[in-house]
Amino acid sequence: MRALARVARTIVIGAAVLAVSTIPAQAGPLPTVPGAPSVQPPTASCFQFPYFGPKGHANFDFGRDIVRLLDERGVRVRGIAPIEAKPANRGVYMPIGWKRDHIDPCNGVYYPGGFALEDVQSGHEAAIHDIYLRPDGAHAQVSIDGQPQGERLVATYKLHEFAAGVPTPRPLEGGVGPRHWPFYVSAYLSRTVRDLTGLPLAEGDYLANLDAVVQYVP
């Protein structure tokens, strides 16, 4: 139990680092291909330190209305490694842990990879990759039809809706982490999806739930 308490405190401290970080990142060099890393080298003031635990996973499950809209339009979700798309447009699966992710005090919590939305009818594709979590939401590099758009705020969340759940014990999975972390459609995502596909996504609509567990035992 003492070990679990220490783990929980570690997670809370990491979440606090994210929550109190107020220095917005400058967008890094635009990647030439979806999935190209956009991480800048560490500096004296902006350094990288390991993610919360050695391994784990996160399920980013789209809301029912989002899945229905994607299916009706014929939009396919494709993963950008190491993130994988779930069957039937249900969302994406993210492997996490300090071998993959890191925390940057000047940029946020970084996750490599991403996912793309392929619109079969129009032939357009929007790719979201190299994701940073910051106090105001999820920022990512965006490419549309292969053309980099720079870093954008693609989803928002409310700190009070997940902060209390960060240290949730997950004994059957050998770790801790939040089961409920709601994400919402950002103004940029709403506008971009409407322009490309006509789907009626509105800013603030429920987008997905993030269910994440960091594992400390096999």
Side-chain angles (χ1 to χ4, degrees):
M1 292 300 293
R2 291 181 180 176
L4 183 58
R6 286 195 298 269
V7 167
R9 284 196 298 270
T10 301
I11 298 294
V12 172
I13 290 169
V17 169
L18 171 62
V20 303
S21 174
T22 58
I23 306 175
Q26 298 294 325
L30 297 182
T32 55
V33 294
S38 61
V39 180
Q40 304 237 0
T43 66
S45 60
C46 297
F47 56 92
Q48 298 174 5
F49 58 93
Y51 192 62
F52 307 123
K55 61 179 181 177
H57 64 269
N59 291 293
F60 191 71
D61 295 319
F62 296 136
R64 292 181 181 178
D65 289 342
I66 298 295
V67 174
R68 176 181 56 80
L69 289 173
L70 294 176
D71 290 344
E72 290 176 353
R73 172 70 187 189
V75 175
R76 290 196 298 254
V77 180
R78 175 175 61 82
I80 299 174
I83 293 177
E84 303 172 6
K86 292 188 172 186
N89 286 341
R90 293 199 308 269
V92 297
Y93 170 85
M94 303 166 55
I96 60 177
W98 61 45
K99 291 184 178 181
R100 297 183 179 274
D101 318 316
H102 67 259
I103 301 171
D104 181 334
C106 293
N107 291 293
V109 181
Y110 171 72
Y111 298 92
F115 61 92
L117 302 175
E118 302 174 343
D119 182 23
V120 176
Q121 291 187 32
S122 67
H124 290 304
E125 177 183 280
I128 297 169
H129 55 91
D130 291 293
I131 301 164
Y132 279 99
L133 298 186
R134 301 191 185 119
D136 59 339
H139 296 249
Q141 295 290 328
V142 176
S143 298
I144 296 178
D145 298 335
Q147 299 300 312
Q149 306 296 305
E151 184 182 276
R152 305 290 182 173
L153 176 64
V154 295
T156 61
Y157 45 73
K158 303 169 184 176
L159 291 176
H160 71 272
E161 289 188 335
F162 77 89
V166 169
T168 300
R170 309 282 288 268
L172 297 180
E173 296 163 279
V176 295
R179 294 185 184 276
H180 302 289
W181 184 340
F183 281 66
Y184 303 95
V185 176
S186 71
Y188 173 79
L189 185 62
S190 169
R191 182 173 64 252
T192 301
V193 170
R194 281 177 177 268
D195 290 346
L196 293 179
T197 68
L199 290 177
L201 280 186
E203 181 183 1
D205 281 353
Y206 176 70
L207 176 62
N209 179 67
L210 184 67
D211 176 357
V213 57
V214 179
Q215 296 171 307
Y216 288 84
V217 298

